Amino acid sequence: MAYKTCVTLAESSPAKLNKLLQSSLKRSDYVEIRFDFMEPNKIPIALSLVKKHLSKCICTLRPRSEGGKFSSGEKNRISILKLIAVYDPYLLDVEYNTIRKNKALQQYLKKTKTNLLISWHDFAKTPNITFLKSMRKKMSKFSKNIKIVTTAKSIKDTLGILSLYKFQNNANLIAFAMGDYGRMSRILCTHLGSPYTYVSLGKPIAPGQFSLDEIKSIFELKQ
């Protein structure tokens, strides 16, 4: 069965990001650029360096309140999100809690026709399926591309998040669980309809994340 990968890059140096991005795209379908790991004043430089590759990039600027590293104020973060949108990436990851509160951002991203990935994370638990279905429905008002990630404390939690794929309708749903119990969901999601799975180049960027080499080895066993 076909599967696709998205390598997460969390670099502080624009030059190193550009180098890793080019090498990663030779082995992976997509790359997620975690711009929140970079100082805000370096992001415009990085965007200029990688612009010709952004058609295969998911751009993320996660604030600390959403498990990210960005801490230079929400007004500044919104300004940078708008700047990233100008470069027309494959997907711009915007948190559900961000876009639902910011009508001006909604209107701007609609005007620029930016392809959005609306994301929501629960770093403490996996809510029940009724809650997850309700969240998916609310998120779908902003984009057909939806990412819902929870934290698994048991196999039941993992099965719970994966059961969302039974109700995905026409959405491009990415749903899996973090943590040791959730690791298998990062593989199974690709069989259930996820357009890709997130991987690292080595050390995990998120709890339970496989490396690109590990994922390739696992899927080669099935061929």
Side-chain angles (χ1 to χ4, degrees):
M1 184 175 180
Y3 71 97
K4 292 185 177 182
T5 57
C6 179
V7 170
T8 299
L9 296 181
E11 298 297 327
S12 60
S13 163
K16 187 174 182 181
L17 170 66
N18 185 35
K19 184 178 180 180
L20 285 176
L21 174 60
Q22 293 185 52
S23 61
S24 296
L25 285 175
K26 292 178 181 177
R27 303 183 61 220
S28 179
D29 302 277
Y30 306 106
V31 164
E32 178 193 33
I33 303 176
R34 287 290 302 271
F35 280 113
D36 49 298
F37 279 73
M38 190 175 289
E39 292 179 16
N41 64 340
K42 292 182 179 180
I43 295 175
I45 301 170
L47 285 168
S48 295
L49 286 175
V50 305
K51 61 183 178 182
K52 66 180 181 180
H53 302 291
L54 287 176
S55 62
K56 293 186 177 180
C57 294
I58 294 93
C59 295
T60 305
L61 190 65
R62 196 83 70 210
R64 290 189 180 276
S65 60
E66 295 273 357
K69 298 288 185 180
F70 192 87
S71 59
S72 296
E74 186 64 1
K75 185 177 180 180
N76 192 22
R77 192 175 76 92
I78 296 301
S79 295
I80 297 173
L81 283 173
K82 290 179 177 180
L83 174 64
I84 296 171
V86 172
Y87 282 81
D88 194 25
Y90 172 60
L91 290 171
L92 175 60
D93 184 328
V94 179
E95 303 79 17
Y96 170 68
N97 290 325
T98 296
I99 200 162
R100 72 181 178 89
K101 297 175 183 176
N102 195 319
K103 291 288 178 60
L105 180 62
Q106 290 176 34
Q107 293 170 358
Y108 179 87
L109 295 174
K110 186 175 182 179
K111 184 178 179 180
T112 56
K113 298 181 180 179
T114 303
N115 289 320
L116 298 178
L117 174 63
I118 304 301
S119 60
W120 181 83
H121 295 71
D122 190 322
F123 295 95
K125 63 187 183 305
T126 297
N128 61 49
I129 189 59
T130 300
F131 179 92
L132 293 174
K133 284 171 63 180
S134 174
M135 182 59 68
R136 181 196 59 78
K137 185 176 181 180
K138 293 174 183 176
M139 294 167 71
S140 67
K141 295 177 182 178
F142 301 102
S143 176
K144 67 177 181 179
N145 305 301
I146 298 167
K147 179 185 179 186
I148 297 179
V149 181
T150 62
T151 300
K153 300 293 182 65
S154 65
I155 295 297
K156 182 180 178 182
D157 286 345
T158 301
L159 295 176
I161 186 68
L162 291 176
S163 67
L164 254 185
Y165 286 99
K166 293 190 294 184
F167 312 101
Q168 65 179 331
N169 299 326
N170 295 320
N172 292 325
L173 177 66
I174 302 165
F176 60 88
M178 296 180 287
D180 290 339
Y181 279 107
R183 290 199 89 195
M184 71 175 186
S185 67
R186 292 178 177 270
I187 298 171
L188 294 175
C189 68
T190 63
H191 292 272
L192 296 173
S194 179
Y196 56 80
T197 186
Y198 290 87
V199 297
S200 68
L201 288 181
K203 183 180 179 181
I205 305 299
Q209 190 177 47
F210 287 96
S211 71
L212 178 60
D213 288 337
E214 287 173 332
I215 285 290
K216 285 185 175 291
S217 296
I218 290 168
F219 279 100
E220 282 170 5
L221 291 174
K222 297 178 67 61
Q223 295 177 357

